[in-house]
């Protein structure tokens, strides 16, 4: 399956973001390199890293050695909140480590202090306008914090990356993102989920897949971006094998109900 076959969501500026990505948090050194190379060999075309992860160089090396074209990949990195005033040099260091001229998405990793949030956001917008990144967004932001950025700059974050999963499903929060044109991206889909829950095991059995695959498909069917992380080749492969089935509307409702909201 190549990039054109995978389901995507459209970001501002006609940027297409694959709904399934590969997370690299806590993967460092040769383990990160091996995992990313395995993910790219499996078919992933969306990679998620961050300055704080300390693995951008390994991610970049895997990208180069994969033999894939840069334009067929979607690469996200993130600026730490303590880099206020040093955003540009942080991004330049990320680009150098990754070995690319531009990332596809650059996020504020966590909200900085209230007084710094808008200045930092303006720096991300400037980097986008200079084509150092194709799109910009945030991570771990509340709806009210997103609204502050929109009110100050009239620019909506393309993405908000937050902890998400069936047990955290919040219909109102999901709607708040949609209403603002902000794509919701979920991380830690398995850490936040009881994979032995009877609802998930029943639905998994009906489709002949694992509960983890059901969780990933639930994100995709909601058009929520999801970035499972693994350094195990078998699990990397299994997490990608979610395009041959889809959930019924009733199954999606049953999983939504696990969040109790």
């Amino acid at each position: 399956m190549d990039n054109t076959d995978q389901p995507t969501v459209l970001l501002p500026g006609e940027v297409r973001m694959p709904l399934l990505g590969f997370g690299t948090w806590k993967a460092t050194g040769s383990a990160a390199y091996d995992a990313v190379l395995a993910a790219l060999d499996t078919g992933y075309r969306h990679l998620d890293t961050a300055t704080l992860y300390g693995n951008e160089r390994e991610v970049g090396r895997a990208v180069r050695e994969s033999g894939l074209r840069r334009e067929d990949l979607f690469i996200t990195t993130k600026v730490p909140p303590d880099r206020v005033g040093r955003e540009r040099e942080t991004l330049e260091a990320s680009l150098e480590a990754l070995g690319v001229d531009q990332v596809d998405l650059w996020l504020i990793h966590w909200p900085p202090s209230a007084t710094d949030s808008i200045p930092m956001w303006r720096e991300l917008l400037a980097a986008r306008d200079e084509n150092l990144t194709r799109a910009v967004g945030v991570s771990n932001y509340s709806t009210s914090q997103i609204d502050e950025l929109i009110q100050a700059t009239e620019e909506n974050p393309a993405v908000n990356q937050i902890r998400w999963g069936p047990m955290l499903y919040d219909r109102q929060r999901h709607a708040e993102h949609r209403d603002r044109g902000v794509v919701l991206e979920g991380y830690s889909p398995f850490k936040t989920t009881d994979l032995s829950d009877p609802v998930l095991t029943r639905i998994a059995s009906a489709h002949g897949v694992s509960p983890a695959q059901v969780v990933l498909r639930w994100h995709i069917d909601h058009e929520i971006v999801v970035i499972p992380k693994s350094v195990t080749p078998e699990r990397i492969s299994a997490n990608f094998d979610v395009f041959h089935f889809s959930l019924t509307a009733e199954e999606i409702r049953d999983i939504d109900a696990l969040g109790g909201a």
Side-chain angles (χ1 to χ4, degrees):
M1 172 177 282
D2 67 25
N3 201 28
T4 55
D5 297 326
Q6 296 181 35
T8 60
V9 64
L10 188 62
L11 306 184
E14 298 301 306
V15 177
R16 289 221 158 261
M17 181 180 192
L19 283 167
L20 180 64
F22 184 71
T24 65
W25 181 51
K26 287 192 173 177
T28 56
S30 60
Y33 165 78
D34 291 342
V36 172
L37 199 55
L40 294 173
D41 285 347
T42 298
Y44 292 85
R45 295 296 178 261
H46 168 187
L47 303 173
D48 181 90
T49 182
T51 294
L52 284 175
Y53 297 172
N55 62 16
E56 289 172 316
R57 205 162 292 282
E58 288 77 15
V59 171
R61 185 160 69 94
V63 165
R64 284 192 301 281
E65 296 187 12
S66 71
L68 294 166
R69 299 185 308 168
R70 171 65 185 94
E71 58 265 34
D72 292 334
L73 299 175
F74 188 100
I75 301 173
T76 300
T77 193
K78 312 178 194 80
V79 58
D82 63 358
R83 299 295 179 93
V84 173
R86 294 182 292 147
E87 297 89 353
R88 178 65 177 262
E89 69 180 73
T90 302
L91 179 56
E92 287 175 350
S94 290
L95 295 174
E96 190 274 327
L98 288 163
V100 297
D101 297 326
Q102 178 191 59
V103 288
D104 299 284
L105 180 63
W106 193 33
L107 305 177
I108 301 175
H109 205 153
W110 293 88
S113 70
T115 55
D116 291 331
S117 191
I118 291 165
M120 188 170 232
W121 178 234
R122 290 190 192 280
E123 288 298 318
L124 268 72
L125 294 171
R128 181 203 61 192
D129 292 345
E130 293 175 44
N131 293 317
L132 298 175
T133 179
R134 296 172 70 212
V136 288
V138 296
S139 183
N140 301 300
Y141 269 60
S142 67
T143 301
S144 63
Q145 288 169 324
I146 289 172
D147 284 343
E148 288 173 10
L149 302 184
I150 296 171
Q151 286 158 12
T153 64
E154 298 185 349
E155 292 263 19
N156 300 29
V159 170
N160 185 25
Q161 186 185 114
I162 57 176
R163 278 171 70 91
W164 197 257
M167 276 65 180
L168 296 178
Y169 186 71
D170 181 332
R171 189 179 308 281
Q172 181 180 342
R173 195 158 194 216
H174 188 194
E176 287 168 352
H177 283 76
R178 206 166 40 235
D179 292 347
R180 288 158 179 78
V182 178
V183 170
L184 199 161
E185 178 177 11
Y187 67 83
S188 298
F190 306 137
K191 277 192 173 175
T192 59
T193 302
D194 176 6
L195 293 175
S196 65
D197 185 279
V199 170
L200 297 178
T201 55
R202 168 176 58 81
I203 294 171
S205 178
H207 291 278
V209 298
S210 70
Q213 289 169 316
V214 167
V215 168
L216 297 176
R217 188 69 223 190
W218 171 79
H219 284 76
I220 291 166
D221 286 341
H222 264 310
E223 293 200 320
I224 292 171
V225 179
V226 62
I227 46 171
K229 175 256 172 179
S230 178
V231 294
T232 310
E234 296 78 17
R235 198 165 297 142
I236 290 170
S237 179
N239 288 344
F240 188 75
D241 187 21
V242 292
F243 299 113
H244 64 286
F245 74 103
S246 58
L247 304 175
T248 67
E250 184 180 7
E251 288 170 339
I252 292 171
R253 282 196 300 273
D254 288 348
I255 297 171
D256 290 354
L258 297 175

